Amino acid sequence: MIAQVETKTYTAEEYLELEINSQDRHEFINGEIVLMAGGTPDHNEITSILNAILRVSLKGKPYSIFASDQRLWVPQLNNYTYPDVMVVARPIELQSGRTDTITNPLLIAEVLSKGTKAYDRDEKFAAYRSIPSFQEYLLIDQYRLQVEQYSKTDANKWIFSEYSCMGDRLSLTSVAVEISLADLYENIDFGE
């Protein structure tokens, strides 16, 4: 007989207290605290480039752009995540009683890793869709040239677009920004 390991379930309050005092980042999903793994150089490069493109394109406009270290609260599920990149309309809305947790993302981008790509496409996207302000989702593959774009068109209606050529340009629907895949994947080598 194989002994089963019991997973400890935490409250959101316990998670937040632990997270404030931790040197590592953790997500909080269905009562479980999940350590966020460090990213690869390509993951960080893509995140950095996307952040720079958005920052320059949205300069002087009523948006804030956050990369990796900004916590997001998903109220309906009481989950906490750290999206790779978020665009938030100003004024920023914070979770009641908190000064460090955003609740009103407009656009979220995740750079896919082998360990999280199914979760990012499935459960995480479903959780994000429960946030009223959320309008657009980008899934950026770091291992091959591919970007998936999901754009909200109406309540419970999303359009899917896919880009996989270096000459492709994707137009964001939530903010007036166009992104060249050649720029987004600059310095990424898909070779051996």
Side-chain angles (χ1 to χ4, degrees), residues 55 62-66 70-72 86-96 98-106 133:
R55 186 148 307 283
Y63 302 103
S64 292
I65 299 99
F66 299 100
Q70 181 57 61
R71 187 170 44 245
L72 169 67
M86 275 190 297
V87 175
V88 178
R90 284 192 232 125
I92 294 169
E93 295 174 17
L94 299 172
Q95 181 183 10
S96 179
R98 309 270 338 152
T99 60
D100 56 1
T101 308
I102 288 177
T103 63
N104 65 319
L106 188 60
S133 62

Side-chain angles (χ1 to χ4, degrees), residues 26-120:
H26 302 82
E27 290 192 349
F28 180 73
I29 304 156
N30 300 322
E32 288 186 43
I33 296 175
V34 180
L35 177 66
M36 301 300 301
T40 64
D42 286 347
H43 181 285
N44 287 315
E45 183 87 18
I46 292 166
T47 299
S48 191
I49 289 169
L50 178 59
N51 186 48
I53 289 169
L54 291 169
R55 186 148 307 283
V56 168
S57 299
L58 296 174
K59 183 177 176 153
K61 297 191 169 96
Y63 302 103
S64 292
I65 299 99
F66 299 100
S68 300
D69 288 328
Q70 181 57 61
R71 187 170 44 245
L72 169 67
W73 181 47
V74 182
Q76 281 191 354
L77 302 174
N78 200 25
N79 287 355
Y80 294 87
T81 67
Y82 290 89
D84 289 324
V85 176
M86 275 190 297
V87 175
V88 178
R90 284 192 232 125
I92 294 169
E93 295 174 17
L94 299 172
Q95 181 183 10
S96 179
R98 309 270 338 152
T99 60
D100 56 1
T101 308
I102 288 177
T103 63
N104 65 319
L106 188 60
L107 173 135
I108 296 174
E110 297 285 4
V111 178
L112 301 176
S113 66
K114 290 178 180 169
T116 64
K117 66 182 175 181
Y119 171 63
D120 288 341

Side-chain angles (χ1 to χ4, degrees), residues 145-164:
L145 188 69
Q146 181 177 5
V147 177
E148 299 172 23
Q149 176 186 30
Y150 297 87
S151 303
K152 188 173 184 176
T153 60
D154 204 351
N156 303 316
K157 292 183 183 176
W158 292 78
I159 291 177
F160 169 73
S161 302
E162 186 173 23
Y163 305 88
S164 57

